[in-house]
């Protein structure tokens, strides 16, 4: 289908950025999440994600001061999600 065709056209860099954004968004929405739980959840949807890729994403998010990782508990410390207007 169209989704498959669009995915095939994506550069590895674009795929990587989308993955980083998805992980950041999940942590932001949760506020706090155990790292192992998040990794397992990601693996069920993205079987190609390796532990090394996941750890590199967490390092990137930490370096950007968006999360903290204390005792494997990921906490969002970046900007608050935008309020949804009703």
């Amino acid at each position: 289908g169209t989704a498959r065709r669009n995915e095939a056209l994506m550069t590895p860099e674009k795929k990587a950025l989308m993955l980083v954004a998805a992980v950041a968004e999940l942590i932001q929405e949760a506020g706090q999440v155990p790292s192992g739980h998040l990794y397992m959840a990601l693996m069920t949807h993205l079987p190609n994600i390796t532990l090394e890729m996941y750890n590199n994403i967490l390092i990137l998010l930490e370096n950007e001061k968006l999360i903290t990782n204390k005792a494997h508990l990921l906490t969002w410390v970046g900007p608050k999600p935008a309020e949804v207007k009703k």
Side-chain angles (χ1 to χ4, degrees), residues 18-37:
M18 288 181 67
L19 184 57
V20 170
V23 171
E25 192 173 305
L26 289 169
I27 299 168
Q28 184 184 41
E29 286 176 4
Q32 283 190 329
V33 61
S35 184
H37 292 203

Side-chain angles (χ1 to χ4, degrees), residues 3-61:
R4 282 265 183 246
R5 197 163 44 249
N6 288 343
E7 189 175 316
L9 295 174
M10 256 194 240
T11 63
E13 294 82 5
K14 177 127 177 150
K15 285 182 182 179
L17 280 173
M18 288 181 67
L19 184 57
V20 170
V23 171
E25 192 173 305
L26 289 169
I27 299 168
Q28 184 184 41
E29 286 176 4
Q32 283 190 329
V33 61
S35 184
H37 292 203
L38 181 58
Y39 181 61
M40 290 301 294
L42 285 171
M43 282 180 49
T44 60
H45 298 288
L46 304 164
N48 294 335
I49 190 172
T50 65
L51 185 57
E52 182 182 15
M53 290 166 61
Y54 176 71
N55 284 328
N56 286 335
I57 291 169
L58 296 185
I59 289 166
L60 177 70
L61 294 175

Side-chain angles (χ1 to χ4, degrees), residues 54-73:
Y54 176 71
N55 284 328
N56 286 335
I57 291 169
L58 296 185
I59 289 166
L60 177 70
L61 294 175
E62 274 189 278
N63 288 343
E64 292 298 319
K65 309 280 188 258
L66 295 174
I67 66 166
T68 59
N69 186 354
K70 293 189 173 94
H72 304 288
L73 180 66

